[in-house]
Amino acid sequence: MKILLVTQYFYPETFKSTDLAFELQKRGHEVTVLTGIPNYPEGKIYESYGFFKNRKQNINGVKIIRSLLLPRGNGGGIRLFLNYYSFAFFASIKAFFLGISNTYDAVIVHEPSPITQFYPALLLKKLWKTPVYFWVMDLWPESLSIAGGVKNKMVLGYYESVVKNFYKNSEKILITSKGFRKSINEKGDFDSKIVYFPNWAEDSISEGDKNYPIPTLPDGFKVMFAGNIGEAQDLDNIMKAALELKQHKKIKFVLVGDGRKMPFVKEFIEENQLQETVHLAGRFPVEAMASFFNKAEVMLVTLKDDPIFNLTVPAKVQAYMSASKPIVAMLNGEGAENIKESESGFAVNAGDYKALAETILKASELPKEELEKLGQNARKFYEENFRMSECITNLENILNAKNQ
């Protein structure tokens, strides 16, 4: 098939869209990616990219076309608005010309947020009737209200109408969490379009180089958090749990990644003198994760206690499972249920930092063999539910159903 993937985020930014494009191309499909100039998460355009540099590329056989956008900067509300809509505007222009010179069997919209990434695909749908497959990884306008702090009813009402229109113009709506179904169906009769399409872990994590060079990590019982350090991840309560465990010197929190909450984390560490027990490793490529994970005793996943997050399964759950690591979680909903069902670790309620601290302390006292068993359970559950090869095969079947 000839496939266009529309996504604001793509390699060298670390998102599932990269896996999807490269794997589909490897399987013999002709894949073009319409994306933005990489600037996530720092908010600055990556080195070797720019308004006049590497706007067109070919990587692993995938044709990449990079639309203009305004970088997200420090992630403030106005700057994010301009970042989102500048991509939607300029990518729609690119999509118009792509539609004139190409006929696509399918357009896939990768939407971890914002919802505005759908606009270029909508143009192709309206002008050339190209079927659009909407890969929903974040619910709007709920996310705008809860994570973005937007409370204006007119604004939320506007985005609800936009979302309904996008769902209406989708051939299929691919959801990463079964809990999304209820929210989507509340906006219209879309149940027949909805297909469960879970996240997977990158091969570089599950089968990566465990000897990738990384900084020396502290000795002790390492509780590792890897990924975006943002508002949704509830760093406030992670830090409170670390403070609760301050006197237990053998327990070391290791944070791998970066994001909007990093200034808060650094300030909290400084104010509470947690330098001995909280280690900030910094941001590293996906290829380094196997090496980091290999050094950890348990992996940490957290989400705030909000209705939208309770419907979400963080992608790091699959990543941790793929690496055969036991998991400590502070979250509600489907993510917690996965951990309990798989018997791969421990889950406490979202926001309950005291219970998190107690759970970590108990985990640190478990025999090594028991932790290894939890890790084995995690890997087994991953192989049965979240392998990339099976997920992509499922997607091919979904796309083929329309084109047969």
Side-chain angles (χ1 to χ4, degrees):
M1 286 178 283
K2 194 170 182 179
I3 299 169
L4 177 67
L5 174 61
V6 178
T7 175
Q8 189 166 332
Y9 313 103
F10 193 74
Y11 179 88
E13 296 166 314
T14 306
F15 284 86
K16 292 289 187 289
S17 52
T18 300
D19 286 343
L20 183 69
F22 290 166
E23 180 65 19
L24 286 173
Q25 183 74 30
K26 191 166 70 174
R27 294 184 181 210
H29 304 287
E30 184 181 335
V31 181
T32 300
V33 177
L34 176 57
T35 188
I37 301 172
N39 68 108
Y40 183 93
E42 294 93 342
K44 299 177 182 178
I45 292 176
Y46 284 27
E47 188 177 350
S48 79
Y49 290 87
F51 296 128
F52 304 104
K53 292 192 296 184
N54 281 326
R55 293 281 303 284
K56 291 185 178 181
Q57 295 177 289
N58 191 300
I59 303 175
N60 294 341
V62 174
K63 185 189 299 182
I64 303 167
I65 300 168
R66 298 190 182 274
S67 166
L68 290 171
L69 52 67
L70 182 72
R72 58 193 289 124
N74 62 6
I78 294 176
R79 194 63 183 264
L80 277 180
F81 176 87
L82 294 173
N83 172 253
Y84 294 166
Y85 275 93
S86 61
F87 172 76
F89 176 76
F90 289 110
S92 294
I93 295 173
K94 289 279 188 184
F96 175 78
F97 288 104
L98 284 172
I100 290 175
S101 56
N102 298 275
T103 300
Y104 296 103
D105 297 306
V107 177
I108 302 172
V109 179
H110 167 251
E111 186 264 326
S113 212
I115 198 79
T116 48
Q117 294 174 87
F118 196 94
Y119 279 115
L122 182 63
L123 185 73
L124 292 169
K125 166 74 175 180
K126 292 295 188 182
L127 294 180
W128 290 283
K129 309 300 181 186
T130 312
V132 179
Y133 297 80
F134 195 12
W135 187 11
V136 177
M137 307 177 84
D138 198 9
L139 292 173
W140 277 52
E142 294 94 328
S143 182
L144 193 64
S145 172
I146 296 167
V150 176
K151 303 301 179 186
N152 186 292
K153 290 185 178 180
M154 287 186 63
V155 172
L156 295 175
Y158 166 75
Y159 278 105
E160 176 138 352
S161 65
V162 168
V163 171
K164 287 179 181 178
N165 186 42
F166 290 167
Y167 290 156
K168 180 181 177 182
N169 283 282
S170 299
E171 183 72 25
K172 292 293 181 182
I173 303 167
L174 312 179
I175 57 173
T176 55
S177 170
K178 294 175 183 178
F180 284 10
R181 184 181 292 270
K182 182 175 182 291
S183 170
I184 293 170
N185 279 327
E186 285 174 350
K187 297 174 178 63
D189 185 16
F190 302 120
D191 197 64
S192 62
K193 294 185 176 186
I194 298 173
V195 180
Y196 178 52
F197 185 62
N199 277 317
W200 58 84
E202 292 84 353
D203 287 344
S204 53
I205 293 175
S206 58
E207 302 167 11
D209 179 10
K210 294 181 180 178
N211 296 313
Y212 190 101
I214 62 173
T216 302
L217 300 181
D219 292 329
F221 186 85
K222 289 178 282 295
V223 180
M224 185 175 291
F225 176 98
N228 183 41
I229 298 176
E231 290 290 341
Q233 287 72 35
D234 199 5
L235 271 298
D236 302 66
N237 282 310
I238 292 177
M239 289 296 99
K240 289 178 182 178
L243 186 58
E244 288 280 315
L245 295 167
K246 182 178 180 180
Q247 303 307 318
H248 298 274
K249 302 298 184 184
K250 71 172 182 178
I251 297 176
K252 310 291 185 182
F253 285 79
V254 179
L255 276 59
V256 183
D258 201 356
R260 294 172 63 186
K261 288 292 284 187
M262 185 54 79
F264 159 79
V265 171
K266 290 179 177 177
E267 184 178 338
F268 192 97
I269 292 170
E270 184 72 25
E271 288 180 353
N272 295 281
Q273 299 180 332
L274 293 174
Q275 294 87 345
E276 192 175 345
T277 56
V278 181
H279 179 84
L280 304 181
R283 182 172 175 268
F284 285 83
V286 171
E287 292 76 16
M289 292 304 105
S291 189
F292 272 109
F293 289 11
N294 190 44
K295 301 292 192 299
E297 275 64 48
V298 298
M299 304 300 298
L300 177 62
V301 57
T302 56
L303 279 178
K304 280 188 172 181
D305 183 17
D306 280 310
I308 188 172
F309 299 143
N310 295 343
L311 301 177
T312 301
V313 181
K316 59 170 60 67
V317 170
Q318 287 92 341
Y320 295 169
M321 287 181 168
S322 76
S324 304
K325 303 303 295 187
I327 302 170
V328 175
M330 181 175 61
L331 75 170
N332 298 331
E334 193 172 337
E337 290 303 317
N338 282 346
I339 293 164
K340 293 173 183 175
E341 181 184 348
S342 62
E343 298 182 346
S344 59
F346 315 92
V348 303
N349 291 335
D352 193 346
Y353 69 90
K354 287 186 179 292
L356 177 62
E358 291 171 4
T359 300
I360 290 171
L361 183 58
K362 290 177 182 177
S364 71
E365 296 169 348
L366 288 176
K368 183 179 179 181
E369 294 75 18
E370 289 192 32
L371 290 175
E372 288 177 349
K373 176 61 176 174
L374 294 174
Q376 291 165 8
N377 292 345
R379 178 68 189 188
K380 180 182 178 184
F381 194 81
Y382 160 77
E383 289 181 345
E384 292 173 351
N385 297 276
F386 303 126
R387 288 192 66 87
M388 183 175 75
S389 58
E390 281 78 7
C391 291
I392 302 300
T393 297
N394 182 34
L395 178 62
E396 285 183 303
N397 292 335
I398 294 167
L399 300 178
N400 278 322
K402 174 68 176 179
N403 289 284
Q404 286 178 347

